[in-house]
């Protein structure tokens, strides 16, 4: 994969390239890397996790000493769009899938049958939070695109800064 391989400085010399990670395979587009770099420029000694995304992919980037250390990407926004999720997730469904992610597919089907977009969104976002737990547990989290993630994390007792 072409791009700057992790770990590497978030700020790039010249035009930023994508950030890439071999395992698990991940790619942060250059435009999103520039947004993370801008946040780091304002807070140069900051360590924590930045969450941001676009219409199809949501990213979690672990930053320390100005470097991107690791990252994960999720297709949650694409799945929400494709399956007809809502902008506001049902927090009970989110909590259920966060604690029992193996039941997500059944919860999605039940939400689909019931026509409940908020429950569908809750299950999808809960599954992402379960998979990304190593990124947010005990970390300072900055949400560059808060969407439903900031409130979902706050419901888990995480301090989230919206920037």
């Amino acid at each position: 994969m072409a791009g700057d391989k992790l770990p590497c400085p978030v700020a790039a010399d010249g035009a930023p390239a994508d950030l890439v990670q071999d395992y698990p395979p991940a790619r942060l587009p250059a435009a999103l890397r520039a947004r993370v770099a801008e946040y780091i420029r304002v807070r140069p000694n900051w360590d924590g996790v930045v969450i941001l995304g676009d219409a199809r992919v949501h990213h979690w980037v672990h930053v320390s000493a100005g470097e991107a250390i690791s990252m994960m990407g999720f297709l949650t926004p694409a799945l929400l769009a494709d399956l007809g999720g809502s902008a506001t997730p049902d927090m009970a469904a989110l909590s259920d899938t966060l604690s029992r992610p193996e039941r997500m597919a059944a919860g999605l089907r039940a939400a689909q049958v019931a026509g409940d977009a908020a429950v569908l969104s809750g299950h999808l976002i809960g599954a992402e939070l379960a998979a990304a737990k190593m990124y947010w547990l005990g970390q300072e989290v900055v949400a560059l695109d808060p969407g439903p993630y900031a409130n979902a994390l706050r419901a888990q007792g995480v301090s989230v800064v919206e920037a």
Side-chain angles (χ1 to χ4, degrees):
M1 291 192 282
D4 293 337
K5 291 198 177 206
L6 269 60
C8 71
V10 174
D13 294 329
D18 291 359
L19 287 177
V20 295
Q21 177 176 275
D22 288 335
Y23 187 81
R27 174 178 295 278
L28 183 71
L32 296 180
R33 176 185 185 175
R35 293 182 62 208
V36 176
E38 179 60 24
Y39 183 78
I40 301 305
R41 187 188 65 74
V42 174
R43 296 195 57 204
N45 296 318
W46 181 80
D47 288 349
V49 173
V50 176
I51 58 174
L52 73 165
D54 56 33
R56 303 296 289 174
V57 182
H58 192 245
H59 303 275
W60 298 71
V61 183
H62 181 203
V63 176
S64 181
E67 289 194 342
I69 304 303
S70 66
M71 62 185 175
M72 287 183 88
F74 293 87
L75 289 174
T76 309
L79 292 169
L80 287 167
D82 293 348
L83 296 174
S86 72
T88 304
D90 179 271
M91 295 307 282
L94 188 149
S95 180
D96 182 49
T97 297
L98 178 58
S99 62
R100 304 277 314 266
E102 71 276 8
R103 294 175 33 182
M104 178 191 71
L108 289 174
R109 177 59 181 154
Q112 183 185 47
V113 169
D116 196 329
V119 168
L120 187 139
S121 296
H123 286 301
L124 287 171
I125 293 169
E128 179 175 332
L129 292 185
K133 197 171 200 174
M134 66 185 145
Y135 279 82
W136 55 264
L137 193 61
Q139 294 287 339
E140 181 176 343
V141 177
V142 171
L144 297 184
D145 298 319
Y149 295 92
N151 287 336
L153 286 165
R154 286 186 186 110
Q156 302 309 311
V158 178
S159 174
V160 179
V161 174
E162 295 181 35

